[in-house]
Amino acid sequence: MSVTLTQLRYLVAVARHGSVTGAAKMLNVSQPSISVAIDAVEKNFGQKLFVRQRGSGVSPTSFGRAVVAKARQVLTETEELIGLGSGKSAVSGELVLGCFEDLAPFFAPALIRAFSERYPAVKIVVRDETFETLGRRLGDAAIDLGLTYDLSLPTHFARILLRELRPHALLPAGHALADRPSVSLADLAAYPLITTDQPHSWQHMLDLFRSRGLSPVADMTTSSFELQRSMVANGFGVAVSYTRPHGDRSYDGLPLICRPLSDPLPMQRILLTYDTHQRVSNAALAFVEVAKDWFATRDIFAS
């Protein structure tokens, strides 16, 4: 039984993109070449590696996840060995960073720039993820590291703290609570609450109110953080958020009022995470250190 490095690269690319088409585009090869490689490896092992789903790409089987994880390890070690032999930095290869979609635009570009300046031999790919897809794709070896809030992660995932954040209230300009230096969850519960439809996010926000014995009316959800902010700015309700862009205005230019919450609430944590059941590459470990340094010197979400 033999499997080539090229075949391993194809398997990893398919797992990362969730489709043969995406993998072919990334590797600049034909789709049939990748399909033939997958078939050959499956024939060698006598087991299916991917489940093909019409209209929704492919997903790895449980055996496929194990093979892809080992393939990533072999490719990483090969790249590191080549780097040693050529005198190049041991930190090289590819790093796939999955970012929770609300955090990605605030931190991913700056972190990638800081990392690339220090480790130019590493190619970085960034992916937007939801809470649900982030954990699954880390487990499937589709991404190497995740940048996210400390919500819904499996217990065996590493949690590297980058920053703790306090929640704040979002109010439209001219709101009855806008002139107060701070507001309570009880104050906010008297008004319609706008949440996002990310499952773990809206549940967490409602749990904050319930921890104070409150039951807000949360009859409006949005598909994104920025739509939530725009709905608040247009007077449809209030919201609670940890994320705060620079400049308190919504996409359509209306002002937003941000007020700290007076309740003694737990802090939320921004983390880097990875699946401890898989080998962590030198590039991923280096990214962790760069991210820790970067967050330590920035005033995140300051007013």
Side-chain angles (χ1 to χ4, degrees):
M1 178 184 296
S2 63
V3 178
T4 68
L5 288 177
T6 297
Q7 289 172 332
L8 294 184
R9 290 191 182 93
Y10 288 179
L11 297 182
V12 170
V14 171
R16 284 177 166 168
H17 286 271
S19 73
V20 173
T21 300
K25 183 177 180 181
M26 183 192 78
L27 297 171
N28 195 29
V29 299
S30 68
Q31 294 183 43
S33 297
I34 294 181
S35 296
V36 168
I38 293 174
D39 290 341
V41 177
E42 288 179 337
K43 183 178 180 180
N44 272 335
F45 283 114
Q47 296 190 54
K48 285 290 185 183
L49 300 179
F50 297 97
V51 177
R52 294 159 178 81
Q53 300 170 328
R54 181 173 295 180
S56 57
V58 300
S59 60
T61 63
S62 58
F63 179 72
R65 284 193 290 271
V67 171
V68 170
K70 182 59 68 173
R72 285 178 57 200
Q73 179 179 338
V74 170
L75 292 172
T76 297
E77 291 176 349
T78 300
E79 290 165 351
E80 291 171 358
L81 182 61
I82 293 172
L84 290 174
S86 64
K88 296 180 180 178
S89 168
V91 181
S92 60
E94 182 181 81
L95 174 67
V96 182
L97 176 68
C99 297
F100 173 55
E101 55 194 350
D102 285 358
L103 294 177
F106 300 106
F107 303 124
L111 286 173
I112 292 171
R113 184 177 69 246
F115 180 79
S116 297
E117 289 172 353
R118 195 178 303 184
Y119 299 104
V122 179
K123 177 185 177 181
I124 302 183
V125 179
V126 63
R127 308 267 187 233
D128 285 349
E129 303 288 348
T130 66
F131 286 126
E132 292 183 323
T133 63
L134 183 70
R136 183 175 71 249
R137 290 176 65 78
L138 281 166
D140 288 348
I143 57 179
D144 302 299
L145 285 174
L147 177 69
T148 184
Y149 287 122
D150 191 7
L151 293 172
S152 75
L153 295 175
T155 56
H156 67 279
F157 275 30
R159 289 165 168 79
I160 299 140
L161 177 64
L162 298 176
R163 182 60 59 89
E164 291 185 318
L165 301 175
R166 297 185 184 278
H168 60 269
L170 288 175
L171 308 165
H175 193 275
L177 302 175
D179 291 334
R180 299 186 184 184
S182 64
V183 298
S184 68
L185 290 177
D187 295 329
L188 295 177
Y191 301 92
L193 181 68
I194 302 174
T195 62
T196 62
D197 62 5
Q198 300 140 339
H200 298 286
S201 178
W202 68 257
Q203 185 64 54
H204 174 75
M205 293 305 177
L206 291 182
D207 285 345
L208 292 180
F209 284 89
R210 290 167 182 160
S211 71
R212 313 297 293 173
L214 303 168
S215 299
V217 178
D219 58 359
M220 181 178 293
T221 61
T222 65
S223 59
S224 68
F225 170 63
E226 280 301 337
L227 181 55
Q228 178 192 46
R229 283 165 49 87
S230 291
M231 295 300 286
V232 170
N234 279 274
F236 289 97
V238 300
V240 175
S241 178
Y242 294 97
T243 309
R244 184 176 182 180
H246 291 284
D248 292 326
R249 288 186 176 272
S250 62
Y251 266 14
D252 55 359
L254 295 179
L256 280 160
I257 307 299
C258 296
R259 291 291 179 261
L261 293 171
S262 57
D263 306 82
L265 298 171
M267 304 275 276
Q268 183 53 274
R269 310 197 309 161
I270 299 177
L271 307 173
L272 277 176
T273 184
Y274 58 84
D275 187 342
T276 60
H277 291 168
Q278 300 184 29
R279 182 185 182 276
V280 184
S281 68
N282 287 341
L285 293 174
F287 191 92
V288 168
E289 295 307 312
V290 169
K292 288 163 65 175
D293 292 344
W294 189 90
F295 272 87
T297 58
R298 264 70 176 184
D299 194 7
I300 303 301
F301 296 152
S303 59

mmCIF file of all heavy atoms in Angstrom, residues 39-86:
data_model
loop_
_atom_site.group_PDB
_atom_site.id
_atom_site.type_symbol
_atom_site.label_atom_id
_atom_site.label_comp_id
_atom_site.label_asym_id
_atom_site.label_seq_id
_atom_site.Cartn_x
_atom_site.Cartn_y
_atom_site.Cartn_z
ATOM 1 N N ASP A 39 -10.122 8.524 -5.059
ATOM 2 C CA ASP A 39 -10.523 7.137 -5.351
ATOM 3 C C ASP A 39 -9.368 6.171 -5.117
ATOM 4 O O ASP A 39 -9.560 5.060 -4.582
ATOM 5 C CB ASP A 39 -11.008 7.022 -6.799
ATOM 6 C CG ASP A 39 -12.347 7.726 -7.028
ATOM 7 O OD1 ASP A 39 -13.053 7.975 -6.019
ATOM 8 O OD2 ASP A 39 -12.665 8.035 -8.191
ATOM 9 N N ALA A 40 -8.169 6.585 -5.502
ATOM 10 C CA ALA A 40 -7.007 5.702 -5.349
ATOM 11 C C ALA A 40 -6.690 5.467 -3.877
ATOM 12 O O ALA A 40 -6.392 4.327 -3.470
ATOM 13 C CB ALA A 40 -5.794 6.315 -6.057
ATOM 14 N N VAL A 41 -6.744 6.514 -3.080
ATOM 15 C CA VAL A 41 -6.447 6.368 -1.650
ATOM 16 C C VAL A 41 -7.532 5.537 -0.973
ATOM 17 O O VAL A 41 -7.245 4.677 -0.124
ATOM 18 C CB VAL A 41 -6.303 7.752 -0.981
ATOM 19 C CG1 VAL A 41 -6.081 7.595 0.518
ATOM 20 C CG2 VAL A 41 -5.150 8.529 -1.599
ATOM 21 N N GLU A 42 -8.791 5.773 -1.342
ATOM 22 C CA GLU A 42 -9.878 4.983 -0.769
ATOM 23 C C GLU A 42 -9.722 3.504 -1.135
ATOM 24 O O GLU A 42 -9.983 2.614 -0.304
ATOM 25 C CB GLU A 42 -11.223 5.518 -1.242
ATOM 26 C CG GLU A 42 -11.592 6.866 -0.615
ATOM 27 C CD GLU A 42 -12.924 7.404 -1.097
ATOM 28 O OE1 GLU A 42 -13.357 7.000 -2.210
ATOM 29 O OE2 GLU A 42 -13.521 8.224 -0.386
ATOM 30 N N LYS A 43 -9.275 3.237 -2.359
ATOM 31 C CA LYS A 43 -9.064 1.854 -2.774
ATOM 32 C C LYS A 43 -7.930 1.217 -1.989
ATOM 33 O O LYS A 43 -7.995 0.048 -1.577
ATOM 34 C CB LYS A 43 -8.758 1.815 -4.277
ATOM 35 C CG LYS A 43 -8.596 0.407 -4.823
ATOM 36 C CD LYS A 43 -8.351 0.429 -6.335
ATOM 37 C CE LYS A 43 -8.193 -0.993 -6.887
ATOM 38 N NZ LYS A 43 -7.954 -0.979 -8.354
ATOM 39 N N ASN A 44 -6.869 2.007 -1.738
ATOM 40 C CA ASN A 44 -5.743 1.495 -0.959
ATOM 41 C C ASN A 44 -6.165 1.102 0.454
ATOM 42 O O ASN A 44 -5.780 0.059 0.973
ATOM 43 C CB ASN A 44 -4.630 2.536 -0.882
ATOM 44 C CG ASN A 44 -3.660 2.434 -2.052
ATOM 45 O OD1 ASN A 44 -3.514 1.379 -2.665
ATOM 46 N ND2 ASN A 44 -2.993 3.529 -2.366
ATOM 47 N N PHE A 45 -6.968 1.986 1.080
ATOM 48 C CA PHE A 45 -7.376 1.734 2.461
ATOM 49 C C PHE A 45 -8.590 0.800 2.552
ATOM 50 O O PHE A 45 -8.868 0.244 3.617
ATOM 51 C CB PHE A 45 -7.700 3.054 3.173
ATOM 52 C CG PHE A 45 -6.491 3.838 3.581
ATOM 53 C CD1 PHE A 45 -6.220 5.063 2.996
ATOM 54 C CD2 PHE A 45 -5.627 3.356 4.543
ATOM 55 C CE1 PHE A 45 -5.107 5.799 3.373
ATOM 56 C CE2 PHE A 45 -4.515 4.081 4.935
ATOM 57 C CZ PHE A 45 -4.250 5.302 4.346
ATOM 58 N N GLY A 46 -9.322 0.698 1.472
ATOM 59 C CA GLY A 46 -10.519 -0.125 1.503
ATOM 60 C C GLY A 46 -11.658 0.498 2.287
ATOM 61 O O GLY A 46 -12.583 -0.204 2.720
ATOM 62 N N GLN A 47 -11.613 1.813 2.456
ATOM 63 C CA GLN A 47 -12.662 2.531 3.190
ATOM 64 C C GLN A 47 -12.897 3.882 2.540
ATOM 65 O O GLN A 47 -11.991 4.473 1.938
ATOM 66 C CB GLN A 47 -12.273 2.747 4.653
ATOM 67 C CG GLN A 47 -12.123 1.487 5.465
ATOM 68 C CD GLN A 47 -11.976 1.794 6.935
ATOM 69 O OE1 GLN A 47 -12.804 2.482 7.538
ATOM 70 N NE2 GLN A 47 -10.901 1.286 7.537
ATOM 71 N N LYS A 48 -14.101 4.386 2.726
ATOM 72 C CA LYS A 48 -14.439 5.711 2.230
ATOM 73 C C LYS A 48 -13.799 6.786 3.093
ATOM 74 O O LYS A 48 -13.780 6.689 4.323
ATOM 75 C CB LYS A 48 -15.955 5.915 2.214
ATOM 76 C CG LYS A 48 -16.676 5.180 1.095
ATOM 77 C CD LYS A 48 -16.357 5.816 -0.250
ATOM 78 C CE LYS A 48 -17.151 5.189 -1.374
ATOM 79 N NZ LYS A 48 -16.775 5.788 -2.687
ATOM 80 N N LEU A 49 -13.283 7.826 2.457
ATOM 81 C CA LEU A 49 -12.707 8.965 3.164
ATOM 82 C C LEU A 49 -13.674 10.140 3.233
ATOM 83 O O LEU A 49 -13.667 10.894 4.213
ATOM 84 C CB LEU A 49 -11.423 9.421 2.473
ATOM 85 C CG LEU A 49 -10.293 8.401 2.371
ATOM 86 C CD1 LEU A 49 -9.112 9.008 1.645
ATOM 87 C CD2 LEU A 49 -9.884 7.905 3.740
ATOM 88 N N PHE A 50 -14.484 10.300 2.187
ATOM 89 C CA PHE A 50 -15.412 11.428 2.120
ATOM 90 C C PHE A 50 -16.793 10.936 1.709
ATOM 91 O O PHE A 50 -16.924 9.975 0.949
ATOM 92 C CB PHE A 50 -14.933 12.477 1.108
ATOM 93 C CG PHE A 50 -13.621 13.120 1.460
ATOM 94 C CD1 PHE A 50 -12.436 12.657 0.907
ATOM 95 C CD2 PHE A 50 -13.576 14.177 2.355
ATOM 96 C CE1 PHE A 50 -11.225 13.230 1.230
ATOM 97 C CE2 PHE A 50 -12.367 14.757 2.686
ATOM 98 C CZ PHE A 50 -11.188 14.287 2.129
ATOM 99 N N VAL A 51 -17.782 11.610 2.236
ATOM 100 C CA VAL A 51 -19.159 11.378 1.814
ATOM 101 C C VAL A 51 -19.528 12.476 0.848
ATOM 102 O O VAL A 51 -19.454 13.669 1.184
ATOM 103 C CB VAL A 51 -20.119 11.377 3.017
ATOM 104 C CG1 VAL A 51 -21.562 11.199 2.546
ATOM 105 C CG2 VAL A 51 -19.748 10.276 3.995
ATOM 106 N N ARG A 52 -19.903 12.116 -0.341
ATOM 107 C CA ARG A 52 -20.248 13.095 -1.362
ATOM 108 C C ARG A 52 -21.736 13.418 -1.276
ATOM 109 O O ARG A 52 -22.580 12.524 -1.313
ATOM 110 C CB ARG A 52 -19.885 12.550 -2.740
ATOM 111 C CG ARG A 52 -18.385 12.374 -2.938
ATOM 112 C CD ARG A 52 -18.057 11.407 -4.053
ATOM 113 N NE ARG A 52 -16.621 11.282 -4.281
ATOM 114 C CZ ARG A 52 -15.823 10.512 -3.557
ATOM 115 N NH1 ARG A 52 -16.316 9.812 -2.537
ATOM 116 N NH2 ARG A 52 -14.529 10.443 -3.813
ATOM 117 N N GLN A 53 -22.043 14.713 -1.145
ATOM 118 C CA GLN A 53 -23.425 15.157 -0.993
ATOM 119 C C GLN A 53 -23.763 16.102 -2.132
ATOM 120 O O GLN A 53 -23.126 17.141 -2.288
ATOM 121 C CB GLN A 53 -23.622 15.852 0.356
ATOM 122 C CG GLN A 53 -23.305 14.935 1.534
ATOM 123 C CD GLN A 53 -23.249 15.673 2.858
ATOM 124 O OE1 GLN A 53 -22.861 16.828 2.902
ATOM 125 N NE2 GLN A 53 -23.652 15.010 3.914
ATOM 126 N N ARG A 54 -24.749 15.730 -2.915
ATOM 127 C CA ARG A 54 -25.112 16.537 -4.080
ATOM 128 C C ARG A 54 -25.502 17.952 -3.661
ATOM 129 O O ARG A 54 -26.363 18.149 -2.817
ATOM 130 C CB ARG A 54 -26.271 15.890 -4.833
ATOM 131 C CG ARG A 54 -26.699 16.669 -6.078
ATOM 132 C CD ARG A 54 -27.737 15.908 -6.889
ATOM 133 N NE ARG A 54 -27.184 14.667 -7.434
ATOM 134 C CZ ARG A 54 -27.893 13.821 -8.174
ATOM 135 N NH1 ARG A 54 -29.171 14.072 -8.447
ATOM 136 N NH2 ARG A 54 -27.328 12.710 -8.637
ATOM 137 N N GLY A 55 -24.844 18.932 -4.251
ATOM 138 C CA GLY A 55 -25.175 20.326 -3.994
ATOM 139 C C GLY A 55 -24.540 20.912 -2.757
ATOM 140 O O GLY A 55 -24.637 22.115 -2.529
ATOM 141 N N SER A 56 -23.855 20.093 -1.928
ATOM 142 C CA SER A 56 -23.261 20.640 -0.697
ATOM 143 C C SER A 56 -21.849 20.114 -0.461
ATOM 144 O O SER A 56 -21.409 20.017 0.681
ATOM 145 C CB SER A 56 -24.150 20.325 0.509
ATOM 146 O OG SER A 56 -24.349 18.926 0.634
ATOM 147 N N GLY A 57 -21.140 19.768 -1.528
ATOM 148 C CA GLY A 57 -19.755 19.381 -1.397
ATOM 149 C C GLY A 57 -19.568 18.020 -0.768
ATOM 150 O O GLY A 57 -20.388 17.117 -0.935
ATOM 151 N N VAL A 58 -18.472 17.869 -0.026
ATOM 152 C CA VAL A 58 -18.148 16.601 0.614
ATOM 153 C C VAL A 58 -17.812 16.849 2.080
ATOM 154 O O VAL A 58 -17.424 17.951 2.472
ATOM 155 C CB VAL A 58 -16.957 15.903 -0.081
ATOM 156 C CG1 VAL A 58 -17.265 15.611 -1.543
ATOM 157 C CG2 VAL A 58 -15.690 16.744 0.045
ATOM 158 N N SER A 59 -17.944 15.814 2.877
ATOM 159 C CA SER A 59 -17.538 15.869 4.277
ATOM 160 C C SER A 59 -16.814 14.577 4.608
ATOM 161 O O SER A 59 -17.145 13.514 4.071
ATOM 162 C CB SER A 59 -18.752 16.057 5.186
ATOM 163 O OG SER A 59 -19.665 14.991 5.025
ATOM 164 N N PRO A 60 -15.794 14.632 5.479
ATOM 165 C CA PRO A 60 -15.022 13.432 5.777
ATOM 166 C C PRO A 60 -15.802 12.448 6.635
ATOM 167 O O PRO A 60 -16.601 12.843 7.492
ATOM 168 C CB PRO A 60 -13.798 13.973 6.522
ATOM 169 C CG PRO A 60 -14.257 15.259 7.105
ATOM 170 C CD PRO A 60 -15.254 15.831 6.140
ATOM 171 N N THR A 61 -15.583 11.183 6.405
ATOM 172 C CA THR A 61 -16.090 10.152 7.297
ATOM 173 C C THR A 61 -15.240 10.155 8.566
ATOM 174 O O THR A 61 -14.219 10.860 8.652
ATOM 175 C CB THR A 61 -16.011 8.777 6.627
ATOM 176 O OG1 THR A 61 -14.618 8.476 6.388
ATOM 177 C CG2 THR A 61 -16.761 8.765 5.300
ATOM 178 N N SER A 62 -15.617 9.361 9.562
ATOM 179 C CA SER A 62 -14.806 9.301 10.784
ATOM 180 C C SER A 62 -13.409 8.774 10.455
ATOM 181 O O SER A 62 -12.401 9.272 10.983
ATOM 182 C CB SER A 62 -15.490 8.415 11.828
ATOM 183 O OG SER A 62 -15.712 7.104 11.324
ATOM 184 N N PHE A 63 -13.343 7.771 9.563
ATOM 185 C CA PHE A 63 -12.034 7.285 9.124
ATOM 186 C C PHE A 63 -11.306 8.357 8.315
ATOM 187 O O PHE A 63 -10.092 8.551 8.456
ATOM 188 C CB PHE A 63 -12.197 6.020 8.285
ATOM 189 C CG PHE A 63 -10.907 5.462 7.761
ATOM 190 C CD1 PHE A 63 -10.006 4.843 8.611
ATOM 191 C CD2 PHE A 63 -10.590 5.559 6.408
ATOM 192 C CE1 PHE A 63 -8.801 4.332 8.129
ATOM 193 C CE2 PHE A 63 -9.386 5.054 5.926
ATOM 194 C CZ PHE A 63 -8.495 4.434 6.791
ATOM 195 N N GLY A 64 -12.047 9.082 7.487
ATOM 196 C CA GLY A 64 -11.446 10.148 6.699
ATOM 197 C C GLY A 64 -10.835 11.237 7.560
ATOM 198 O O GLY A 64 -9.773 11.780 7.236
ATOM 199 N N ARG A 65 -11.504 11.574 8.678
ATOM 200 C CA ARG A 65 -10.942 12.588 9.577
ATOM 201 C C ARG A 65 -9.600 12.150 10.138
ATOM 202 O O ARG A 65 -8.665 12.951 10.258
ATOM 203 C CB ARG A 65 -11.931 12.887 10.707
ATOM 204 C CG ARG A 65 -13.099 13.761 10.285
ATOM 205 C CD ARG A 65 -13.861 14.274 11.490
ATOM 206 N NE ARG A 65 -14.597 13.194 12.163
ATOM 207 C CZ ARG A 65 -15.830 12.829 11.854
ATOM 208 N NH1 ARG A 65 -16.457 13.430 10.870
ATOM 209 N NH2 ARG A 65 -16.426 11.852 12.515
ATOM 210 N N ALA A 66 -9.509 10.859 10.488
ATOM 211 C CA ALA A 66 -8.242 10.342 11.012
ATOM 212 C C ALA A 66 -7.149 10.388 9.944
ATOM 213 O O ALA A 66 -5.994 10.749 10.228
ATOM 214 C CB ALA A 66 -8.432 8.918 11.526
ATOM 215 N N VAL A 67 -7.509 10.034 8.715
ATOM 216 C CA VAL A 67 -6.529 10.047 7.627
ATOM 217 C C VAL A 67 -6.081 11.478 7.329
ATOM 218 O O VAL A 67 -4.880 11.740 7.149
ATOM 219 C CB VAL A 67 -7.120 9.386 6.359
ATOM 220 C CG1 VAL A 67 -6.190 9.596 5.161
ATOM 221 C CG2 VAL A 67 -7.349 7.904 6.597
ATOM 222 N N VAL A 68 -7.014 12.408 7.266
ATOM 223 C CA VAL A 68 -6.657 13.799 6.974
ATOM 224 C C VAL A 68 -5.770 14.375 8.075
ATOM 225 O O VAL A 68 -4.801 15.096 7.809
ATOM 226 C CB VAL A 68 -7.924 14.650 6.782
ATOM 227 C CG1 VAL A 68 -7.572 16.133 6.732
ATOM 228 C CG2 VAL A 68 -8.653 14.238 5.508
ATOM 229 N N ALA A 69 -6.090 14.069 9.333
ATOM 230 C CA ALA A 69 -5.265 14.555 10.444
ATOM 231 C C ALA A 69 -3.836 14.032 10.320
ATOM 232 O O ALA A 69 -2.862 14.773 10.509
ATOM 233 C CB ALA A 69 -5.874 14.135 11.774
ATOM 234 N N LYS A 70 -3.704 12.757 9.994
ATOM 235 C CA LYS A 70 -2.361 12.190 9.823
ATOM 236 C C LYS A 70 -1.681 12.769 8.582
ATOM 237 O O LYS A 70 -0.458 13.020 8.593
ATOM 238 C CB LYS A 70 -2.453 10.668 9.709
ATOM 239 C CG LYS A 70 -1.110 9.963 9.577
ATOM 240 C CD LYS A 70 -0.202 10.247 10.762
ATOM 241 C CE LYS A 70 -0.710 9.612 12.046
ATOM 242 N NZ LYS A 70 0.262 9.751 13.163
ATOM 243 N N ALA A 71 -2.447 13.017 7.526
ATOM 244 C CA ALA A 71 -1.884 13.614 6.311
ATOM 245 C C ALA A 71 -1.337 15.004 6.599
ATOM 246 O O ALA A 71 -0.252 15.372 6.127
ATOM 247 C CB ALA A 71 -2.951 13.680 5.214
ATOM 248 N N ARG A 72 -2.078 15.770 7.368
ATOM 249 C CA ARG A 72 -1.595 17.108 7.750
ATOM 250 C C ARG A 72 -0.290 17.008 8.513
ATOM 251 O O ARG A 72 0.646 17.789 8.304
ATOM 252 C CB ARG A 72 -2.639 17.818 8.617
ATOM 253 C CG ARG A 72 -3.851 18.341 7.874
ATOM 254 C CD ARG A 72 -4.826 18.988 8.846
ATOM 255 N NE ARG A 72 -4.190 20.054 9.592
ATOM 256 C CZ ARG A 72 -4.653 20.530 10.752
ATOM 257 N NH1 ARG A 72 -5.724 20.007 11.301
ATOM 258 N NH2 ARG A 72 -4.047 21.515 11.357
ATOM 259 N N GLN A 73 -0.207 16.042 9.423
ATOM 260 C CA GLN A 73 1.015 15.865 10.210
ATOM 261 C C GLN A 73 2.195 15.517 9.318
ATOM 262 O O GLN A 73 3.283 16.085 9.456
ATOM 263 C CB GLN A 73 0.799 14.778 11.254
ATOM 264 C CG GLN A 73 2.027 14.494 12.120
ATOM 265 C CD GLN A 73 1.751 13.419 13.155
ATOM 266 O OE1 GLN A 73 0.609 13.159 13.518
ATOM 267 N NE2 GLN A 73 2.812 12.785 13.638
ATOM 268 N N VAL A 74 1.988 14.579 8.384
ATOM 269 C CA VAL A 74 3.063 14.167 7.484
ATOM 270 C C VAL A 74 3.533 15.345 6.625
ATOM 271 O O VAL A 74 4.738 15.578 6.464
ATOM 272 C CB VAL A 74 2.592 13.001 6.594
ATOM 273 C CG1 VAL A 74 3.603 12.724 5.486
ATOM 274 C CG2 VAL A 74 2.364 11.748 7.436
ATOM 275 N N LEU A 75 2.574 16.102 6.078
ATOM 276 C CA LEU A 75 2.936 17.234 5.221
ATOM 277 C C LEU A 75 3.667 18.310 6.008
ATOM 278 O O LEU A 75 4.644 18.899 5.515
ATOM 279 C CB LEU A 75 1.677 17.817 4.576
ATOM 280 C CG LEU A 75 0.986 16.917 3.539
ATOM 281 C CD1 LEU A 75 -0.347 17.524 3.117
ATOM 282 C CD2 LEU A 75 1.888 16.693 2.321
ATOM 283 N N THR A 76 3.201 18.587 7.229
ATOM 284 C CA THR A 76 3.855 19.597 8.058
ATOM 285 C C THR A 76 5.281 19.185 8.387
ATOM 286 O O THR A 76 6.220 19.990 8.280
ATOM 287 C CB THR A 76 3.060 19.819 9.352
ATOM 288 O OG1 THR A 76 1.765 20.329 9.032
ATOM 289 C CG2 THR A 76 3.774 20.815 10.262
ATOM 290 N N GLU A 77 5.457 17.936 8.786
ATOM 291 C CA GLU A 77 6.801 17.471 9.131
ATOM 292 C C GLU A 77 7.701 17.437 7.906
ATOM 293 O O GLU A 77 8.909 17.707 8.010
ATOM 294 C CB GLU A 77 6.705 16.100 9.790
ATOM 295 C CG GLU A 77 6.065 16.154 11.177
ATOM 296 C CD GLU A 77 5.890 14.782 11.798
ATOM 297 O OE1 GLU A 77 6.062 13.771 11.077
ATOM 298 O OE2 GLU A 77 5.575 14.718 13.009
ATOM 299 N N THR A 78 7.146 17.114 6.754
ATOM 300 C CA THR A 78 7.932 17.129 5.520
ATOM 301 C C THR A 78 8.412 18.538 5.204
ATOM 302 O O THR A 78 9.589 18.756 4.850
ATOM 303 C CB THR A 78 7.094 16.579 4.346
ATOM 304 O OG1 THR A 78 6.702 15.239 4.632
ATOM 305 C CG2 THR A 78 7.900 16.611 3.054
ATOM 306 N N GLU A 79 7.509 19.515 5.316
ATOM 307 C CA GLU A 79 7.881 20.906 5.050
ATOM 308 C C GLU A 79 8.941 21.389 6.035
ATOM 309 O O GLU A 79 9.881 22.100 5.669
ATOM 310 C CB GLU A 79 6.636 21.789 5.114
ATOM 311 C CG GLU A 79 5.681 21.567 3.948
ATOM 312 C CD GLU A 79 4.314 22.166 4.195
ATOM 313 O OE1 GLU A 79 4.045 22.601 5.333
ATOM 314 O OE2 GLU A 79 3.504 22.187 3.245
ATOM 315 N N GLU A 80 8.803 20.992 7.304
ATOM 316 C CA GLU A 80 9.792 21.396 8.300
ATOM 317 C C GLU A 80 11.145 20.757 8.010
ATOM 318 O O GLU A 80 12.195 21.388 8.172
ATOM 319 C CB GLU A 80 9.295 21.013 9.693
ATOM 320 C CG GLU A 80 8.088 21.831 10.145
ATOM 321 C CD GLU A 80 7.454 21.302 11.423
ATOM 322 O OE1 GLU A 80 7.937 20.269 11.944
ATOM 323 O OE2 GLU A 80 6.489 21.920 11.905
ATOM 324 N N LEU A 81 11.135 19.492 7.574
ATOM 325 C CA LEU A 81 12.376 18.808 7.236
ATOM 326 C C LEU A 81 13.053 19.458 6.042
ATOM 327 O O LEU A 81 14.278 19.683 6.040
ATOM 328 C CB LEU A 81 12.089 17.337 6.939
ATOM 329 C CG LEU A 81 13.299 16.449 6.598
ATOM 330 C CD1 LEU A 81 14.273 16.414 7.766
ATOM 331 C CD2 LEU A 81 12.831 15.043 6.247
ATOM 332 N N ILE A 82 12.266 19.800 5.021
ATOM 333 C CA ILE A 82 12.826 20.484 3.848
ATOM 334 C C ILE A 82 13.405 21.828 4.249
ATOM 335 O O ILE A 82 14.473 22.244 3.777
ATOM 336 C CB ILE A 82 11.749 20.646 2.759
ATOM 337 C CG1 ILE A 82 11.350 19.277 2.196
ATOM 338 C CG2 ILE A 82 12.231 21.566 1.642
ATOM 339 C CD1 ILE A 82 10.158 19.313 1.257
ATOM 340 N N GLY A 83 12.699 22.517 5.159
ATOM 341 C CA GLY A 83 13.195 23.806 5.626
ATOM 342 C C GLY A 83 14.540 23.688 6.321
ATOM 343 O O GLY A 83 15.448 24.504 6.125
ATOM 344 N N LEU A 84 14.701 22.633 7.132
ATOM 345 C CA LEU A 84 15.981 22.419 7.808
ATOM 346 C C LEU A 84 17.081 22.135 6.801
ATOM 347 O O LEU A 84 18.191 22.647 6.914
ATOM 348 C CB LEU A 84 15.851 21.258 8.787
ATOM 349 C CG LEU A 84 14.995 21.490 10.037
ATOM 350 C CD1 LEU A 84 14.864 20.192 10.825
ATOM 351 C CD2 LEU A 84 15.606 22.583 10.908
ATOM 352 N N GLY A 85 16.754 21.305 5.813
ATOM 353 C CA GLY A 85 17.754 20.938 4.822
ATOM 354 C C GLY A 85 18.181 22.090 3.935
ATOM 355 O O GLY A 85 19.306 22.133 3.449
ATOM 356 N N SER A 86 17.273 23.038 3.720
ATOM 357 C CA SER A 86 17.593 24.169 2.838
ATOM 358 C C SER A 86 18.111 25.377 3.600
ATOM 359 O O SER A 86 18.430 26.401 3.005
ATOM 360 C CB SER A 86 16.333 24.565 2.060
ATOM 361 O OG SER A 86 15.321 25.027 2.942
#
